[in-house]
Amino acid sequence: MRVLGIDPGIGRLGYGVVHASGNRLQTEGYGCVETPPGPVADRLVRIYDKVRELLDDVKPDAVAVEQLFFYRNVTTAFTVGQARGVVLLAARQAGVAVAEYTPMQVKQAVTGYGSAEKGQIQRMVGMLLGLGAPPRPDDAADALAVAICHVHAATLLARMEGGAR
């Protein structure tokens, strides 16, 4: 299974590709799509184009996107929500399955603790993927965590469905 994880943002959108083979996880790349300050519509077009490029290059089995949780700044919440929408649209137009996870679900899947701190998540992502150090920048590490969360959820669901037959 190949999963493209996305940590949505308008200024910086993190992405990470995780490949699962049996119990082994490895990354096939990660990074960020950055947009310069300017009109939101232009920034969304850049995000859309880059996500479509990633989808064409990676050919994932699924796209896993972190859900919005809480923002003090309403304007930030709206623009991050718009970036999420662009990602969801690009994935569905590409015919790729989409899964969404809350930050708590991601933390639980990666660290076993739903209130884990960012540093703990980054270290666990590095360990789970066999990296020499936690992935940087933070947004990319978060995207990899979302992808790992989906791998774990999909594996569990497959086992449950297999046992029901």
Side-chain angles (χ1 to χ4, degrees):
M1 173 190 312
R2 179 176 290 117
V3 180
L4 173 61
I6 301 286
D7 177 37
I10 190 74
R12 185 166 29 187
L13 177 138
Y15 67 87
V17 181
V18 171
H19 181 258
S21 179
N23 290 334
R24 292 198 65 223
L25 296 175
Q26 65 185 46
T27 183
E28 295 182 358
Y30 56 89
C32 289
V33 174
E34 296 192 31
T35 65
V40 172
D42 293 344
R43 297 172 92 179
L44 293 173
V45 168
R46 179 169 170 78
I47 290 169
Y48 176 83
D49 289 344
K50 291 295 185 178
V51 170
R52 283 305 303 244
E53 272 180 44
L54 282 167
L55 290 165
D56 290 343
D57 292 346
V58 172
K59 298 183 182 10
D61 299 305
V63 173
V65 183
E66 189 170 68
Q67 293 179 342
L68 288 177
F69 180 65
F70 175 79
Y71 282 89
R72 293 180 201 267
N73 184 324
V74 174
T75 303
T76 301
F78 282 140
T79 56
V80 172
Q82 290 170 326
R84 280 185 81 257
V86 165
V87 170
L88 298 175
L89 173 66
R92 293 308 294 144
Q93 283 184 334
V96 180
V98 175
E100 299 176 73
Y101 299 96
T102 66
M104 183 179 280
Q105 288 173 310
V106 174
K107 291 173 183 181
Q108 182 73 38
V110 173
T111 68
Y113 179 58
S115 297
E117 295 178 7
K118 264 206 186 291
Q120 292 172 295
I121 296 162
Q122 292 166 348
R123 286 189 299 277
M124 281 302 296
V125 166
M127 287 174 41
L128 290 169
L129 296 175
L131 304 175
R136 299 265 186 247
D138 298 354
D139 305 276
D142 291 346
L144 288 167
V146 175
I148 292 168
C149 177
H150 181 71
V151 168
H152 290 194
T155 301
L156 179 61
L157 184 60
R159 287 181 182 159
M160 289 171 55
E161 288 176 351
R165 293 179 185 189

